Amino acid sequence: MSVIFGVRREVGATIREEDVLRLAIPTYRWAPDGTFAFAKGRIGMGKQPCYTHDRSRLESGPIQDERGNMLVLDGRLDNHIELRSLLGIADPEVSDGRIMLAAFHRWGMECCSRFVGDWALAIWSETDKALSLARDHAGTRSLYFEERSSELRWSTFLETLVAKQDSPALRKDYVDAYLGGDSIGDITPYVGVQSVSPGHVIVFHDGRRHQKPHWRCYSKGTIRYGHDKEYEEHFLDLLKQSVQRRTVPGAPVLAHLSGGMDSSTIVCISDLLKRETGNSHDLLDTVSFFDDSEPSWNERPYFTEVEAQRGKSGEHMDVSGLRPSFELDEDETRTSLLPGLDPCMRTHAEEFERRIRDRGYRTLLSGLGGDELLGGVPTPLPELSDYLVRCQFAVLWKRAIAWSLGPRKPVVYQLWETVRFSVNAYRGQPGNVHRPPWAISQSDHHHRDISNTPQGTAWEENWNTPTVITTANTWETLLTTLPNPQLTLGERREYRFPYLDRDLVDFLLQVPSEQLVRPGRRRSLMRRAVKGIVPEAVLERRRKGYLARSPMHTISVSTVRMRDVMATSHLVHQGYVDKDQFDAYLQRASLGVETRWAPALIRTCLLELWLRSHAYSLSH
């Protein structure tokens, strides 16, 4: 991903290009293709491009049109041909940024709803003297901003806005959310520094800030076809399109191949597309991670099955020794501006970079999102709840019986669960039932207004079904799991997520629940559509592996060290953690009791060490 940044000063002030270039100093090491800046009047924009596909080379820095409007873009516009046609642009070599700036002139900031791709951008309107910041529907690019008394700064990288040596003030609500396992949303650890929400545009004008969505995560209807085959063909066509968009010519692409259905399907679809165009000699390179010590993460047989089918092996990396050391990082220049890393990650990152160093990868393909959008959890409750609230009692009874047969669950109990699920969907669950018992909240209110959450937005717009509300909550949770390039000790590569393609997501949000999940058959649509493309062994595995032993093993070998870390804890001293409770649950986890809290125990210690590594204070 490229680095974009800029500054807008108060009325009457001016900015020079050298002022903008100073903002680029902290990110020079992630600027393989130069640094460019442009300034005019009170606005200045900069870009450190990272060319990952051929069209990205059409544009190196910020651009300006004849009206004085200015734009800087990090990303890829997938529907550029369609937009050129709508805008009457004949030149096929016009850059994505030029198309977006022309779209802004035509439609204003409503143009963002027309942009399909992975992107973050800043637009200056010379006529209105307004600055707009926006991210794509899934937030595949980060975009942060900070408002001060005399200027507004923004960047896709936190380093532009936050200097480690200054020990910036931390937000209490961020610490609360991180400790409690809540959604972080659009806040950062730092007072005054915020993130643009995915699928939103923020307009800064006349000292005011206005935010609104340009894309909604809930559907406005349901697609109804006459036969299963029509759903399968539509899904497969969109998935092929998505993979093709993310494997266009340019810098080499490396694909994660975990052995699960999602990553395996991406690789196999790419192979199919390559062979259809006669490029079978240019199949994707892959990397697979394995841990033979994990009884529930036996991935090797599955990713080797995919490799056997495609006739090409990838990199295999043993991560069995990868676990937190709970030590302070001695190299302060390598510590992250976000919590969650441990020095032990450096060894793994350095080994990974050593093995792929000479191959020029700038992009990683990830299978994240497939499980959440395609029915990875085989629950009938959203579907049955929809029938209940629509008063379709005959269909409800028939489907409840079908879902009860597999697990041999009494149909009456199934119906009772449906009623309870429906009630909870509309009233919301009171509090976070997954909040660790030792985490003490210091915030008087939640860090975001409910109207900015997907569920809240759905409530404001229309009365929606339990499926729509559940999907909105799932979407919000999914976005918090996307890899943040700043949570790495190696190179910062561009992640691409084929399952988060906007056209594909829009389709999946409108597919009936019974197409995605069926009694005794999770991922039903996916399995049917890619049958014959993905190895049968992968499609029919019970479910993808998950790490069960690793957190408990970490606790068992690190109990003493974790207790020592929290003995003189900033978090305890400032009242965020009850030390007695923490020690009690740590002891229980080390004995194999209350194992569900193991990840939260580890997360608490990593947050404590992150605070120490930066000498951060929670007293602000």
Side-chain angles (χ1 to χ4, degrees), residues 184 234 273 321 399 515 533 577:
I184 299 300
H234 195 166
L273 294 171
R399 295 294 292 169
Q515 282 293 326
I533 299 175
V577 169

PDB file of all heavy atoms in Angstrom, residues 184 234 273 321 399 515 533 577:
ATOM      1  N   ILE A 184     -12.841  -1.884  18.526  1.00  0.00           N
ATOM      2  CA  ILE A 184     -12.130  -0.619  18.682  1.00  0.00           C
ATOM      3  C   ILE A 184     -12.795   0.474  17.864  1.00  0.00           C
ATOM      4  O   ILE A 184     -12.771   1.649  18.208  1.00  0.00           O
ATOM      5  CB  ILE A 184     -10.649  -0.784  18.256  1.00  0.00           C
ATOM      6  CG1 ILE A 184      -9.967  -1.834  19.145  1.00  0.00           C
ATOM      7  CG2 ILE A 184      -9.916   0.543  18.341  1.00  0.00           C
ATOM      8  CD1 ILE A 184      -9.970  -1.505  20.611  1.00  0.00           C
ATOM      9  N   HIS A 234     -23.910 -17.478 -10.272  1.00  0.00           N
ATOM     10  CA  HIS A 234     -23.710 -16.055  -9.975  1.00  0.00           C
ATOM     11  C   HIS A 234     -22.561 -15.881  -8.981  1.00  0.00           C
ATOM     12  O   HIS A 234     -21.678 -15.027  -9.170  1.00  0.00           O
ATOM     13  CB  HIS A 234     -25.003 -15.459  -9.410  1.00  0.00           C
ATOM     14  CG  HIS A 234     -25.017 -13.966  -9.404  1.00  0.00           C
ATOM     15  ND1 HIS A 234     -26.164 -13.222  -9.203  1.00  0.00           N
ATOM     16  CD2 HIS A 234     -24.027 -13.053  -9.555  1.00  0.00           C
ATOM     17  CE1 HIS A 234     -25.878 -11.941  -9.240  1.00  0.00           C
ATOM     18  NE2 HIS A 234     -24.576 -11.805  -9.435  1.00  0.00           N
ATOM     19  N   LEU A 273      -8.291 -19.477 -13.702  1.00  0.00           N
ATOM     20  CA  LEU A 273      -8.257 -18.308 -14.573  1.00  0.00           C
ATOM     21  C   LEU A 273      -6.982 -18.269 -15.399  1.00  0.00           C
ATOM     22  O   LEU A 273      -7.011 -17.925 -16.597  1.00  0.00           O
ATOM     23  CB  LEU A 273      -8.374 -17.030 -13.733  1.00  0.00           C
ATOM     24  CG  LEU A 273      -9.710 -16.814 -13.004  1.00  0.00           C
ATOM     25  CD1 LEU A 273      -9.614 -15.636 -12.036  1.00  0.00           C
ATOM     26  CD2 LEU A 273     -10.834 -16.572 -14.007  1.00  0.00           C
ATOM     27  N   GLY A 321       6.975 -22.852  17.378  1.00  0.00           N
ATOM     28  CA  GLY A 321       7.668 -22.167  18.475  1.00  0.00           C
ATOM     29  C   GLY A 321       7.281 -20.715  18.618  1.00  0.00           C
ATOM     30  O   GLY A 321       7.881 -19.980  19.416  1.00  0.00           O
ATOM     31  N   ARG A 399     -39.139 -25.513   8.769  1.00  0.00           N
ATOM     32  CA  ARG A 399     -37.685 -25.364   8.818  1.00  0.00           C
ATOM     33  C   ARG A 399     -37.132 -25.719  10.196  1.00  0.00           C
ATOM     34  O   ARG A 399     -36.031 -26.246  10.316  1.00  0.00           O
ATOM     35  CB  ARG A 399     -37.294 -23.931   8.451  1.00  0.00           C
ATOM     36  CG  ARG A 399     -37.629 -23.547   7.022  1.00  0.00           C
ATOM     37  CD  ARG A 399     -36.806 -24.332   6.025  1.00  0.00           C
ATOM     38  NE  ARG A 399     -35.391 -23.965   6.099  1.00  0.00           N
ATOM     39  CZ  ARG A 399     -34.419 -24.636   5.492  1.00  0.00           C
ATOM     40  NH1 ARG A 399     -34.704 -25.719   4.788  1.00  0.00           N
ATOM     41  NH2 ARG A 399     -33.169 -24.242   5.609  1.00  0.00           N
ATOM     42  N   GLN A 515     -29.639 -20.538   1.359  1.00  0.00           N
ATOM     43  CA  GLN A 515     -28.651 -20.869   0.331  1.00  0.00           C
ATOM     44  C   GLN A 515     -27.252 -21.002   0.932  1.00  0.00           C
ATOM     45  O   GLN A 515     -26.454 -21.825   0.495  1.00  0.00           O
ATOM     46  CB  GLN A 515     -28.639 -19.787  -0.759  1.00  0.00           C
ATOM     47  CG  GLN A 515     -29.773 -19.893  -1.748  1.00  0.00           C
ATOM     48  CD  GLN A 515     -29.687 -21.129  -2.616  1.00  0.00           C
ATOM     49  OE1 GLN A 515     -28.598 -21.594  -2.963  1.00  0.00           O
ATOM     50  NE2 GLN A 515     -30.842 -21.678  -2.964  1.00  0.00           N
ATOM     51  N   ILE A 533     -13.459 -27.775  -8.587  1.00  0.00           N
ATOM     52  CA  ILE A 533     -12.376 -26.795  -8.717  1.00  0.00           C
ATOM     53  C   ILE A 533     -11.404 -26.922  -7.552  1.00  0.00           C
ATOM     54  O   ILE A 533     -10.183 -26.891  -7.736  1.00  0.00           O
ATOM     55  CB  ILE A 533     -12.944 -25.362  -8.768  1.00  0.00           C
ATOM     56  CG1 ILE A 533     -13.865 -25.202  -9.981  1.00  0.00           C
ATOM     57  CG2 ILE A 533     -11.826 -24.334  -8.810  1.00  0.00           C
ATOM     58  CD1 ILE A 533     -14.572 -23.860 -10.038  1.00  0.00           C
ATOM     59  N   VAL A 577      -7.017  -2.783  35.803  1.00  0.00           N
ATOM     60  CA  VAL A 577      -6.953  -4.228  36.031  1.00  0.00           C
ATOM     61  C   VAL A 577      -6.981  -4.517  37.524  1.00  0.00           C
ATOM     62  O   VAL A 577      -6.259  -3.878  38.305  1.00  0.00           O
ATOM     63  CB  VAL A 577      -5.676  -4.835  35.402  1.00  0.00           C
ATOM     64  CG1 VAL A 577      -5.466  -6.274  35.858  1.00  0.00           C
ATOM     65  CG2 VAL A 577      -5.754  -4.772  33.881  1.00  0.00           C
TER      66      VAL A 577
END
